[in-house]
Amino acid sequence: MPIIAIDGPAASGKGTLARKLARHLDYAYLDTGALYRAVGLLVARAGGDADNEQDAVLAAQQLAEADLAKITSDPEMKSESTGGLASKVAAIPAVRALLLDFQHQFAASPPGGKAGAVLDGRDIGTVVCPEAEVKLFITASVETRAKRRFMEQYGEGGSDEQYLAILRDLIRRDERDTQRATAPLKAAKNAHLLDTTNSDIEAVFEMAVTLISDRMTIA
Ligand code: DC
């Protein structure tokens, strides 16, 4: 099954790019960050601690029976605080192991009878789908990423303090995601690096389509 693996840090633009590519290729799309966010939210809602292995594993097990569509439509899913919870549960190897099966199944038989899949996350090209046809690693400076999150959240009306709080959260999250022992955020050796600091999404999309069509003769 043809797979496009897209990895990168928070707010790098990988989700927007992945969705656009999936639509363009008519492939299924899986936002793997949403799985970790859902586990983080389930832990918080149960009054648990996202750093606690027992609490996080229980939530990951519950996710299999939970209504994923309902959880993912929760407005709290997209917040930076849920991103922080997700990053904490994601550092626990047993949680990653529980979520791996779902991701493998999705890649092996994409829902809706689609002919391929686009997955985005932190470890798609390195751990989840090391055999992916095309691997993209999307980056941008942390200040650019913080500015994007800030504009999404507060628009023109936000304050310097709010920007700095987001910047601090992203720096902390990058550190946790890159330093953890299991499946840390890093580019696969054969990934194409795309820096979105000074490029808009259209330009990055065009670059990605060219890379994919060079490799797969379908785009
Ligand atoms: O992409 P995102 O911001 O929704 O991801 C939230 C957190 O989930 C991220 O900080 C780390 C974790 N994550 C992960 O460890 N592995 C993935 N494949 C996807 C997300």
Side-chain angles (χ1 to χ4, degrees):
M1 198 53 76
I3 302 294
I4 313 291
I6 305 187
D7 291 302
S12 54
K14 65 184 185 314
T16 310
L17 175 66
R19 259 188 301 276
K20 243 174 118 60
L21 285 174
R23 216 174 306 128
H24 176 77
L25 298 165
D26 195 26
Y27 281 5
Y29 167 55
L30 181 63
D31 165 9
T32 65
L35 303 175
Y36 292 94
R37 284 174 181 263
V39 173
L41 259 191
L42 284 173
V43 172
R45 298 264 153 94
D49 171 2
D51 282 317
N52 178 284
E53 173 161 357
Q54 231 176 338
D55 291 354
V57 165
L58 186 65
Q61 285 164 339
Q62 284 168 345
L63 189 65
E65 283 109 54
D67 181 349
L68 194 57
K70 191 167 162 222
I71 301 173
T72 51
S73 64
D74 188 313
E76 261 304 300
M77 273 288 284
K78 289 195 182 330
S79 75
E80 193 43 47
S81 76
T82 303
L85 292 171
S87 171
K88 287 181 180 176
V89 299
I92 299 171
V95 170
R96 303 199 72 82
L98 282 166
L99 298 185
L100 202 52
D101 262 3
F102 179 85
Q103 297 171 78
H104 280 156
Q105 286 239 323
F106 189 100
S109 27
K114 300 286 185 186
V118 180
L119 284 82
D120 80 35
R122 303 290 187 288
D123 61 340
I124 309 302
T126 50
V127 174
V128 180
C129 301
E131 73 296 348
E133 271 66 20
V134 179
K135 300 179 186 179
L136 305 175
F137 193 84
I138 314 300
T139 56
S141 74
V142 71
E143 292 80 11
T144 302
R145 292 186 282 121
K147 191 110 186 263
R148 282 180 194 154
R149 270 289 142 83
F150 171 72
M151 291 306 285
E152 268 167 30
Q153 239 168 295
Y154 302 105
E156 297 295 341
S159 65
D160 287 354
E161 287 71 28
Q162 285 164 329
Y163 166 75
L164 288 173
I166 290 180
L167 180 63
R168 265 195 307 272
D169 283 349
L170 283 186
I171 291 171
R172 208 174 303 135
R173 194 137 76 93
D174 284 353
E175 199 171 283
R176 201 184 293 115
D177 292 346
T178 53
Q179 301 304 314
R180 67 178 177 231
T182 308
L185 166 66
K186 71 167 181 225
K189 282 200 184 74
N190 52 350
H192 301 277
L193 300 189
L194 296 178
D195 190 325
T196 68
T197 305
N198 298 308
S199 317
D200 65 16
I201 180 64
E202 277 310 319
V204 176
F205 172 70
E206 291 306 329
M207 277 189 263
V209 167
T210 305
L211 286 169
I212 293 168
S213 51
D214 285 352
R215 182 83 179 89
M216 294 170 66
T217 63
I218 51 160

